């Protein structure tokens, strides 16, 4: 516990900028994972407890793709496509069967997937910690903004996440596809009565949510070390994000993710051992003040 | 009237169970078998306590292991840091879990089902990370080592393995009898009503939140009791006790055994323990093997073993009635 260090940091512009950039990348990654989670919940009405495994898989796929092709951009595409495909298979063959079952069954199926994925990753990539290293294209001296140190890669990462967020927003709000997805979220029975294939929409949304998590894993690969089981902490964090923002709300996920990112970045200075606790306190406060989250609507029954 | 007669039959069942358990050491002196029963005692209490919430309360907690781990750590630490006798340390640990259950429950039980599952899971991860980071107290990821002093109390010496076996069996049977009695009491039926229709219960003037919270505290305390047996068994406590996989296993135990019958979770626990022992011996990929079994179960059987047995009895009875 060192609150005075936090005050010192807040009074120096360079420290604020440095921590702000850290908070922004944590928030960007969290947003991508949480957006998929909240989209799947909003449309399918289920919580994908295996979402963290998608993130983990994305990181490992990106690692292999990067080692093979040497291009970071390609490895992100590979992570997105690979995990999206994996999500599609998982949805078609397994998840689809428990849509109508109770939460307990859904929980159990996801629990099985998480257990299996951790071991499959162990078999393919090994149990030890792995790291991609900073790709060559980002090997540049860090930027100095108002005295704060910001690695070049951070800027790209934030930009990539922002780009994905804008594309996501545009698809959801300004295309026919987005309208269909929103319709399916609001009233699946009516949507299917109007002749739209809800099964296809569900599969697409699940795969897309998986792809978002996969891309987040790929983007995180240069700055985080990888190990089997890495998906679980991000699952918890992105869940906290969706609770704060309101389940089913993508813009809520953005607000929540940035909030948690900043709490993490500044919390590590003042309360290094209690960062997780800070996130929980934030979540508990919001749940008490606004039980449906900051931007959440009445939850689906 | 009915109340006391069901209690009497439950009590007789408990005595019968104890009698059978008492026979085991005389039939076989195999240490492996005794150890298995001791672990089953711990896990059986744990799984049955979770079933108070899942099966009878409709509250799918995915963080129940925080109380199992919490009880184990609280007990082991009290024994190591103070010279308290074992029963007092047990009381401390159970009270610790009850208070923790009160705090977590007060925040969580109001929430809708999926929020409830995830929030309990999140609190469990909070406790797990506290255990990992507070190294000076808990030993971090190495676990709490250094052993638990087993000073004899009331003529019981837990350093003796057979006596410890007895202790675990009596604890388990007593805890299960307690849970059974509560579930057969008016409170137990109120809990079932809240599960089936919270709205109807509310119209009848029942404070739904309070009923759920009491059930949550009861389940938490008893999970702590399971943790105590486990802590004594391994002479310490490990972060894994409070990890999410432990909660997942408990849910699987309930589902595999069947959550509609009181003894179902214990049946599930006995099978999962057996299964775990077999796969740990034959493969290092424990998660993969367990995951496949869970998946087969969830997509194939969908019901617990005791459900099948009950159905079998029902068909036989129907046939006999038809004749």
């Amino acid at each position: 516990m060192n609150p005075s260090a936090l005050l010192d940091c807040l009074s120096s512009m360079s420290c604020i900028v440095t921590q702000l950039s850290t908070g922004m990348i944590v928030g960007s990654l969290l947003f991508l994972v949480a957006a998929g989670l909240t989209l799947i919940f909003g449309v399918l009405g289920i919580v994908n407890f295996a979402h963290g495994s998608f993130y983990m898989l994305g990181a490992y796929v990106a690692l292999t793709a990067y080692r093979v092709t040497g291009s970071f951009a390609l490895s992100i595409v590979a992570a997105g496509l690979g995990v999206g495909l994996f999500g599609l298979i998982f949805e078609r063959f397994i998840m689809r069967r428990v849509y109508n079952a109770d939460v307990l069954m859904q929980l159990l199926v996801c629990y099985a997937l998480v257990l299996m994925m951790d071991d499959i990753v162990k078999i393919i990539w090994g149990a030890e910690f792995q790291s991609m290293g900073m790709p060559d294209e980002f090997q540049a001296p860090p930027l100095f903004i108002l005295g704060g140190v910001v690695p070049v890669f951070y800027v790209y990462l934030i930009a990539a996440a922002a780009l994905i967020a804008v594309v996501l927003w545009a698809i959801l709000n300004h295309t026919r596809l987005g309208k269909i997805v929103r319709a399916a979220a609001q009233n699946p029975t009516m949507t299917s009565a109007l002749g739209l294939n809800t099964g296809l929409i569900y599969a697409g949304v699940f795969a897309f949510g998986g792809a978002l998590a996969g891309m987040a894993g790929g983007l995180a690969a240069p700055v985080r070390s990888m190990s089997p089981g890495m998906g679980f902490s991000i699952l918890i964090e992105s869940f906290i994000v969706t609770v704060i923002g309101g389940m089913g709300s993508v813009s809520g996920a953005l607000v929540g993710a940035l909030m948690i990112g900043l709490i993490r970045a500044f919390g590590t200075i003042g309360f290094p051992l209690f960062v997780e606790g800070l996130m929980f306190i934030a979540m508990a406060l919001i749940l008490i003040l606004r039980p449906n989250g900051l931007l959440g609507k009445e939850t689906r029954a | 009237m009915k109340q006391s007669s069901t209690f009497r039959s439950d009590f007789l069942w408990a005595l019968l169970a104890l009698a059978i358990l008492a026979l085991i050491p005389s039939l076989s002196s195999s240490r492996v078998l005794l150890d298995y029963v001791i672990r089953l005692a711990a896990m059986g209490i744990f799984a049955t306590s979770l079933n108070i919430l899942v099966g009878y309360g409709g509250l799918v907690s995915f963080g129940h292991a925080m109380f199992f781990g919490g009880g184990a750590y609280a007990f082991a630490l009290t024994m190591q840091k103070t010279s308290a006798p074992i029963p007092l340390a047990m009381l401390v640990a159970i009270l610790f879990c009850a208070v923790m259950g009160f705090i977590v429950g007060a925040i969580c039980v109001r929430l809708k089902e999926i929020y409830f599952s995830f929030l309990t899971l999140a609190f469990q991860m909070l406790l797990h990370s506290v255990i990992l980071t507070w190294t000076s107290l808990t030993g971090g990821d190495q676990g709490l080592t250094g052993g638990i002093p087993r000073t004899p109390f009331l003529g019981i010496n837990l350093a003796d393995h057979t006596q410890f076996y007895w202790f675990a069996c009596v604890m388990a049977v007593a805890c299960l009898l307690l849970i059974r009695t509560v579930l057969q009491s008016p409170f137990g039926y109120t809990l079932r009503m809240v599960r089936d229709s919270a709205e109807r219960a509310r119209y009848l003037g029942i404070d739904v939140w309070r009923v759920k919270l009491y059930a949550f505290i009861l389940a938490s305390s008893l999970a702590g009791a399971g943790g105590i047996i486990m802590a004594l068994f391994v002479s310490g406590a490990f972060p894994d006790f409070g990890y999410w996989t432990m909660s997942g296993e408990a849910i699987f135990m309930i589902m595999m055994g069947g959550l509609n019958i009181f003894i179902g979770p214990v049946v599930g626990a006995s099978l999962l323990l057996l299964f775990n022992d077999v796969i740990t011996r034959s493969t290092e990929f424990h998660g993969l093997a367990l995951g496949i079994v869970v998946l087969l179960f969830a997509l194939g059987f969908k019901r617990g073993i005791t459900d099948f047995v009950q159905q079998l009895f029902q068909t036989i009875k129907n046939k006999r009635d038809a004749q």
Side-chain angles (χ1 to χ4, degrees):
Chain A
M1 299 294 153
N2 199 354
S4 66
L6 183 60
L7 284 178
D8 284 350
C9 177
L10 286 176
S11 60
S12 110
M13 200 60 205
S14 60
C15 183
I16 291 185
V17 171
T18 309
Q19 292 314 115
L20 211 56
S21 70
T22 317
M24 290 281 281
I25 67 149
V26 174
S28 303
L29 293 173
L30 267 179
F31 165 70
L32 293 181
V33 180
L37 193 67
T38 208
L39 208 58
I40 292 174
F41 177 79
V43 177
L44 282 69
I46 61 159
V47 170
N48 179 21
F49 282 85
H51 211 64
S53 295
F54 290 172
Y55 169 85
M56 169 181 74
L57 189 64
Y60 277 99
V61 169
L63 177 71
T64 301
Y66 180 70
R67 283 178 182 163
V68 173
T69 64
S71 153
F72 184 65
L74 270 183
S75 66
I76 299 301
V77 174
L81 286 180
V83 178
L85 184 67
F86 178 78
L88 188 69
I89 295 171
F90 177 59
E91 197 274 345
R92 282 292 89 181
F93 289 99
I94 296 168
M95 212 59 208
R96 189 169 55 90
R97 295 167 194 273
V98 289
Y99 282 159
N100 295 323
D102 53 10
V103 179
L104 210 50
M105 272 304 172
Q106 297 168 356
L107 205 65
L108 214 51
V109 165
C110 291
Y111 163 69
L113 183 83
V114 175
L115 285 179
M116 289 162 72
M117 286 303 298
D118 283 357
D119 264 1
I120 289 170
V121 164
K122 222 179 272 176
I123 292 171
I124 301 178
W125 284 282
E128 61 282 355
F129 278 88
Q130 301 221 29
S131 156
M132 182 190 260
M134 190 54 75
D136 290 336
E137 48 262 58
F138 306 115
Q139 295 276 13
L143 307 172
F144 289 93
I145 303 169
L146 295 172
V149 189
V150 181
V152 178
F153 180 70
Y154 283 18
V155 179
Y156 281 97
L157 200 160
I158 294 167
L163 181 71
I164 295 173
V166 170
V167 170
L168 185 62
W169 173 81
I171 292 180
L172 278 180
N173 291 304
H174 293 283
T175 65
R176 193 180 131 77
L177 183 68
K179 211 178 251 178
I180 293 173
V181 168
R182 279 182 292 137
Q186 207 150 52
N187 192 338
T189 325
M190 191 64 202
T191 313
S192 100
L194 289 172
L196 291 162
N197 186 344
T198 38
L200 197 67
I201 300 171
Y202 282 8
V205 167
F206 201 89
F208 184 69
L212 283 179
M215 281 192 279
L219 284 170
V223 283
R224 301 261 174 96
S225 60
M226 292 168 225
S227 65
M230 69 186 271
F232 211 74
S233 54
I234 197 127
L235 174 72
I236 301 293
E237 283 173 25
S238 51
F239 174 68
I240 294 178
V241 164
T242 46
V243 167
I244 288 180
M247 280 211 131
S249 160
V250 176
S251 42
L254 183 62
V255 176
L258 290 177
M259 201 162 137
I260 290 296
L262 293 179
I263 289 178
R264 282 206 80 105
F266 286 97
T268 36
I269 293 184
F271 315 92
L273 290 177
F274 196 61
V275 182
E276 317 235 334
L278 287 180
M279 299 194 305
F280 278 89
I281 291 173
M283 177 174 71
L285 278 180
I286 286 180
L287 270 178
I288 292 166
L289 297 175
R290 284 189 64 104
N292 288 319
L294 290 176
L295 298 173
K297 296 175 233 37
E298 190 57 31
T299 43
R300 261 173 60 156
Chain B
M1 295 308 123
K2 193 165 174 293
Q3 188 81 35
S4 64
S5 77
T6 54
F7 178 76
R8 196 175 304 146
S9 87
D10 290 339
F11 191 71
L12 289 176
W13 277 109
L15 285 182
L16 181 68
L18 268 184
I20 294 169
L21 288 168
L23 278 177
I24 289 178
S26 59
L27 291 177
S28 150
S29 58
S30 147
R31 171 104 187 196
V32 180
L33 184 65
L34 294 197
D35 282 357
Y36 174 79
V37 177
I38 293 170
R39 280 187 300 147
L40 178 59
M43 296 312 287
I45 298 175
F46 178 44
T48 310
S49 74
L50 177 60
N51 199 34
I52 301 175
L53 300 177
V54 176
Y56 294 87
L59 293 160
V60 183
S61 166
F62 201 19
H64 205 53
M66 78 179 117
F67 304 110
F68 187 77
Y73 272 95
F75 173 73
L77 281 171
T78 315
M79 289 303 291
Q80 281 186 357
K81 305 271 173 193
T82 68
S83 54
I86 289 176
L88 184 64
M90 285 170 59
L91 199 65
V92 169
I94 289 174
L95 272 178
F96 173 77
C97 289
V99 171
M100 199 161 71
F102 171 71
I103 297 168
V104 175
I107 299 174
C108 293
V109 293
R110 236 183 261 273
L111 302 168
K112 289 197 181 112
E113 51 176 21
I114 201 74
Y115 279 81
F116 176 80
S117 303
F118 234 130
L119 209 62
T120 46
L121 172 67
F123 272 108
Q124 163 181 275
M125 292 313 285
L126 181 64
L127 181 82
H128 187 248
S129 77
V130 168
I131 292 174
L132 285 187
T133 46
W134 200 346
T135 321
S136 58
L137 183 73
T138 62
D141 59 359
Q142 294 300 307
L144 190 64
T145 47
I148 295 175
R150 290 158 194 243
T151 32
F153 61 97
L154 306 171
I156 304 169
N157 178 15
L158 293 186
D160 177 70
H161 200 65
T162 320
Q163 289 199 29
F164 177 45
Y165 170 85
W166 264 105
F167 171 78
C169 291
V170 172
M171 271 279 282
V173 171
C175 284
L176 292 187
L177 186 63
L178 173 71
I179 298 177
R180 174 73 178 173
T181 311
V182 172
L183 287 176
Q184 296 303 110
S185 73
F187 174 78
Y189 280 93
T190 313
L191 186 63
R192 288 179 185 81
M193 178 161 73
V194 167
R195 170 196 66 191
D196 293 336
S197 170
E199 208 165 336
R200 188 176 302 166
R202 209 170 279 126
Y203 278 130
L204 287 172
I206 290 164
D207 190 344
V208 170
W209 181 69
R210 192 169 294 221
V211 172
K212 286 181 177 177
L213 183 61
Y214 288 164
F216 198 85
I217 295 172
L218 178 72
S220 312
S221 320
L222 284 157
I228 292 170
I229 297 180
M230 202 45 134
L232 276 168
F233 177 67
V234 299
S235 282
F238 297 96
D240 274 6
F241 289 175
Y243 198 47
W244 69 273
T245 44
M246 198 70 161
S247 301
E249 283 194 13
I251 287 189
F252 185 48
M253 285 171 184
I254 292 181
M255 299 286 284
M256 187 161 61
L259 44 75
N260 299 317
I261 289 161
F262 179 74
I263 208 70
V266 180
V267 175
S270 67
L271 288 172
L272 190 62
L273 280 178
L274 208 60
F275 173 77
N276 276 345
D277 289 353
V278 172
I279 44 178
T280 338
R281 218 171 296 148
S282 50
T283 167
E284 58 174 309
F285 299 111
H286 177 258
L288 187 60
L290 181 59
I292 291 172
V293 171
V294 173
L295 213 52
L296 285 178
F297 169 81
L299 300 180
F301 296 114
K302 297 194 174 114
R303 277 176 310 156
I305 289 173
T306 50
D307 294 324
F308 280 108
V309 174
Q310 194 187 32
Q311 201 181 20
L312 193 71
F313 276 117
Q314 197 62 45
T315 355
I316 293 172
K317 193 167 165 265
N318 286 351
K319 263 192 198 144
R320 197 177 297 155
D321 290 348
Q323 275 168 6

